[in-house]
Amino acid sequence: MKPLLEIKDLHATIAGKEILRGVNLVINPGEVHAIMGPNGAGKSTLSAVLTGHPAYEVTRGEVYLRGKNLLEMQPEQRAREGVFLSFQYPVEIPGVSMTNFMRTAVNEKRKYEEKEPLSARDFLKLMKEKRALLEIGDKLQNRSVNEGFSGGEKKKNEIFQMAMLEPCLSILDETDSGLDIDALRIVAEGVNRLKTPENASIMITHYQRLLDYIVPDLVHVLADGQIVKTGDKTLALELEEKGYEGL
Amino acid sequence: MKVSKGEIFERVFLNEPDIDLHIVQEAGSRVKIHVINLPGDARDSRTSRNSITIEQLGEGCTTELYGLAYVRGDEKVETETHVLHSVGGGESKQLFKFVLADRAQGGFYGELRIAKDAQKTRTEQVNRNLLLSREAQMRTRPQLEIYADDVQASHGATTGQLDESALFYMQQRGISRTDAYRMLVAAFLKDVLDTLSDTHQREELMDAIDRVVE
C-alpha cells in the first residue's frame, strides 16, 4: 500500500527556536493516528507545519502527501490537495458569511480538480445534508464565519467544514478541548462517519477522553519535538494512568 | 446651498475630485451624502481633497455622511467634515472608511460642534481604516466640541491591518490569498455599502471593489 503521508526527519523552528527535532511518521489510507504529549512538546507546531503556517520555518526534513512534496506548496494548495486542519482556536471572520466562505472554498477545490463549480441549488443542498450530520441548525449559514459562536459551535463548525471539503488527511488539533459531553459525542460521530478506506486522520490531543469515541489505530507520544513512543490504543490508557513522566 | 424645511437631499459622489460642499439645513430636513473614491485605470499620483460642511439651523434635522475610499499607488485622498448643530433635537451620523494600499495616503478630519442651545442632539462619528501595506499612511483627527450638556455623542477612530490569522484560516480551506484579501476587504467595507439606497449601485460598487483589490 502506498502511504498517504510520509514525514521524514522533520525539523522546524519558530522565531529561531527549534520545536520539532526530527519527526518521522508514516500514515496509510484508512488509518486514524493519535498524537499525544505534554504541553510544549510540539503537537500544534506539527499541525501548523503540515498546513504551511507562515510563522514556522522547516529547517530539515521532507513531507510527502500521496508522493507529492507538501513543503513546496502554498497553504491553499495543500488544502486543495486534501489536507484539512480542524483548528484548536477557529478564527472569527466578521462580515464574511458562512455560505460565501464555504461556497468559495468548495468551488476552489473543484476548480483544482478540474470540476465544474456547484450550482447555487446543489451547493445549498450539500450544506443542508452536511449540517444534519453535525446537528447544526440552518441559522448558521447566514452568520459570519465563527462570529459569536460558542466553543462547541466552533468545533462543530470545523467538522462541518471537513464534511463539506472531504479531505484525504484531516488533522484534528485539540478538537475535544472546550466541548461538553454532548457536543463531543456529536463531533466524534461526525468524524467517524466521514471515515473511509481512502482517507486518514491525525488526532492531536492531551487526553484519552476523545479516544473513547474515535478509536485510533496507532498512538504516538510526542515529547521535546520527537516521537518517543508508538503503540496501539492501550498506550493512551497507559498514559492516562501513569502520565508522561511514567514513560 | 440650502435644504428647505422638510426636504430631502441625497447624493452619491463617485470618483468626483475635490468635492466642496456647504449645506444649510432647515427644520426637519434630511441630508444623506456618500463620498466614494475608487482607483481609476490610470495609476497616477492624483490627490483628492474633499470638504463637506453641514449646518443644522432648524430643529429636528438628520444628516448622514458616508465615505469609502480605496486608495493605492501614490494617490492621496483627504476628507474633512464640519457638522455644526446649532439647534436642538438634531441627529447626525458619520461613517468613513479608508483602505490604503501601496504608498497611498489618506486623511480624515472630522469637526463636530454642538452649540450650547442644541440640547437633545444625537451624533455619531466613526472612522475606520485598513492599511494593506507598510508604506501606506493614514492621518485621522476627530475634533468634537460639545457645549450643550444633554446630548448623545459618540465617536471612534481605528486604523489596523488585515487579520493574518483570518487570512491563514481561509487559505487552509483552499481559498487563495488574493481571494481571501478580496473577501476581507469587502467585509470591511460592507457596512458603508449597505447604507446606499440604490441596491443596483451597491452591487456595482461591490464588483468594482472586487476588481481593484489585488
Side-chain angles (χ1 to χ4, degrees), chain A residues 85-151:
Chain A
L85 172 63
S86 170
F87 284 67
Q88 184 178 2
Y89 303 107
V91 182
E92 300 196 4
I93 315 178
V96 175
S97 74
M98 260 319 286
T99 308
N100 188 18
F101 174 68
M102 221 51 251
R103 186 165 43 218
T104 309
V106 166
N107 283 333
E108 290 269 7
K109 187 169 187 202
R110 290 181 69 89
K111 192 164 83 186
Y112 190 74
E113 292 166 347
E114 296 177 351
K115 291 179 191 162
E116 289 290 308
L118 281 184
S119 70
R121 191 161 159 255
D122 287 346
F123 174 75
L124 289 176
K125 210 174 120 194
L126 184 68
M127 287 265 280
K128 196 174 170 186
E129 182 193 314
K130 302 296 186 186
R131 276 205 320 268
L133 192 68
L134 274 305
E135 301 179 25
I136 294 174
D138 57 2
K139 277 182 307 188
L140 167 131
Q141 65 193 43
N142 301 319
R143 284 165 69 181
S144 292
V145 179
N146 292 322
E147 194 186 27
F149 287 28
S150 68

Side-chain angles (χ1 to χ4, degrees), chain A residues 174-211:
Chain A
E174 306 278 1
T175 293
D176 50 339
S177 68
L179 287 186
D180 63 36
I181 204 76
D182 291 327
L184 180 64
R185 179 187 53 78
I186 294 166
V187 163
E189 276 176 14
V191 172
N192 285 332
R193 274 196 242 166
L194 295 172
K195 196 179 163 185
T196 71
E198 287 80 39
N199 65 24
S201 43
I202 300 174
M203 284 187 293
I204 293 173
T205 182
H206 249 71
Y207 306 105
Q208 154 68 22
R209 192 173 75 143
L210 181 65
L211 307 183

Side-chain angles (χ1 to χ4, degrees), chain B residues 16-29:
Chain B
E16 285 186 38
D18 302 333
I19 296 155
D20 192 4
L21 277 177
H22 191 131
I23 296 175
V24 172
Q25 288 188 245
E26 289 188 346
S29 65

Side-chain angles (χ1 to χ4, degrees), chain A residues 51 53 76 79-80 83-85 87 91 93-95 101 105 108 146 158 161, chain B residues 163-166 168-177 179 183-184 187 190:
Chain A
T51 51
H53 194 287
E76 55 266 44
R80 292 169 195 165
V83 177
F84 180 90
L85 172 63
F87 284 67
V91 182
I93 315 178
F101 174 68
E108 290 269 7
N146 292 322
E158 293 293 287
Q161 293 174 47
Chain B
D163 180 358
E164 276 298 328
S165 61
F168 180 69
Y169 187 78
M170 295 169 91
Q171 284 179 281
Q172 212 303 303
R173 298 302 185 246
I175 299 172
S176 71
R177 199 169 163 90
D179 284 338
M183 291 168 82
L184 293 177
K190 188 176 181 295

Side-chain angles (χ1 to χ4, degrees), chain B residues 5-38:
Chain B
K5 203 171 168 178
E7 283 192 347
I8 297 172
F9 175 79
E10 188 169 343
R11 198 60 212 269
V12 177
F13 295 93
L14 176 59
N15 286 339
E16 285 186 38
D18 302 333
I19 296 155
D20 192 4
L21 277 177
H22 191 131
I23 296 175
V24 172
Q25 288 188 245
E26 289 188 346
S29 65
R30 292 165 62 183
V31 167
K32 185 174 176 182
I33 291 168
H34 285 82
V35 179
I36 296 169
N37 290 84
L38 294 177

